[in-house]
Amino acid sequence: MPFSFTSHLFARLRLLISIAAGILCYLLLPAKLGEMQRLLIGWNVLAWLYLWFVWFRMLRTDVGEIKRIAQMQDQSATLVLVMVIVACMVSIVAIMSELPALKHLNGTPRALHLLLTAMTLIVSWALLPSSFAMHYAHQHYLQRSDSVTPMIFPEKPENPEYWDFLYFSFTIAVASQTADVATGTTEMRKLALLQSVISFIFNLAILGLSVNVGAGLLS
């Protein structure tokens, strides 16, 4: 049991480092910034760092290593995905709560407030399809057998790369549709449906925030 616990910690070391960096940033920031701004800045540090870790791993990992990574992270994969989804949604709510303050700011404080809002939206939006892409890849290799192909790509590559799953995931994030990639199992269809709904809500929230920010600037 201790070995298993240690293995799980090591498998999620990048996430733990990102969380620690975000918390440390929040604690070190001056109190005069306000609670919500400190939280948003801490979230940005956490999210940008974890996003970098995710992409670094996906771009540097050989196809033959994907299944090994999937097996190592299998037990905590769903929990991590849920945490990312919840955190991204909370960040949107936090931004909405900060929007009224925009009307009372001018000059540099207003510019910094807008920059923080933009960075939060960008990293939260990018983190969702990136996390889903890794989850799709791992589930594909864990569920695959001689009779089952969880995800079917046009060229039917024997061992799809992370790039293939990134393409699928970001297509859903941008257009809420699966393009030319087919899902071969119910589990994969559930995942794709979940991402489609979340992406639609997220994109709708971003549109609403953009309208509010624009109205705030004009006023």
Side-chain angles (χ1 to χ4, degrees), residues 4-218:
S4 176
F5 179 72
T6 305
S7 299
H8 291 320
L9 282 181
F10 182 76
R12 293 300 175 186
L13 184 60
R14 293 168 178 81
L15 177 60
L16 294 174
I17 291 173
S18 302
I19 292 173
I23 293 174
L24 186 63
C25 178
Y26 166 78
L27 294 175
L28 292 177
L29 286 169
K32 65 180 181 180
L33 282 176
E35 190 75 16
M36 194 57 67
Q37 283 199 332
R38 290 168 65 205
L39 282 171
L40 285 175
I41 294 171
W43 163 250
N44 269 270
V45 171
L46 186 165
W48 281 109
L49 183 58
Y50 185 60
L51 185 65
W52 185 86
F53 278 140
V54 168
W55 274 83
F56 183 81
R57 161 160 274 186
M58 286 194 287
L59 297 183
R60 301 264 300 186
T61 299
D62 184 76
V63 174
E65 290 289 297
I66 297 178
K67 186 174 182 178
R68 182 187 66 81
I69 295 172
Q71 291 171 336
M72 186 170 63
Q73 299 183 350
D74 181 36
Q75 293 188 20
S76 58
T78 302
L79 176 61
V80 171
L81 187 62
V82 170
M83 286 172 58
V84 168
I85 293 170
V86 171
C88 289
M89 291 300 179
V90 170
S91 71
I92 293 293
V93 175
I95 290 174
M96 288 179 174
S97 70
E98 281 288 283
L99 280 180
L102 189 63
K103 298 179 181 178
H104 308 292
L105 297 175
N106 292 293
T108 302
R110 172 179 276 200
L112 291 175
H113 194 93
L114 288 172
L115 178 62
L116 179 60
T117 299
M119 290 185 66
T120 304
L121 287 174
I122 292 169
V123 74
S124 297
W125 184 89
L127 192 57
L128 276 171
S130 299
S131 300
F132 268 101
M134 183 168 278
H135 200 66
Y136 286 131
H138 293 180
Q139 290 304 305
H140 173 82
Y141 281 97
L142 289 174
Q143 296 176 18
R144 191 174 64 173
S145 65
D146 293 336
S147 58
V148 176
T149 304
M151 295 193 70
I152 306 162
F153 295 91
E155 297 175 353
K156 296 185 178 179
E158 184 177 348
N159 295 305
E161 302 177 1
Y162 275 123
W163 274 115
D164 296 303
F165 299 101
L166 283 167
Y167 164 74
F168 177 77
S169 185
F170 272 85
T171 300
I172 292 178
V174 171
S176 294
Q177 55 107 6
T178 58
D180 52 353
V181 182
T183 51
T185 65
T186 301
E187 287 302 314
M188 283 301 192
R189 283 188 281 275
K190 287 179 181 178
L191 271 177
L193 175 62
L194 175 63
Q195 189 194 352
S196 297
V197 172
I198 292 172
S199 295
F200 176 77
I201 295 172
F202 207 95
N203 292 340
L204 200 62
I206 290 176
L207 180 62
L209 284 170
S210 300
V211 171
N212 279 322
V213 169
L217 290 174
L218 290 174

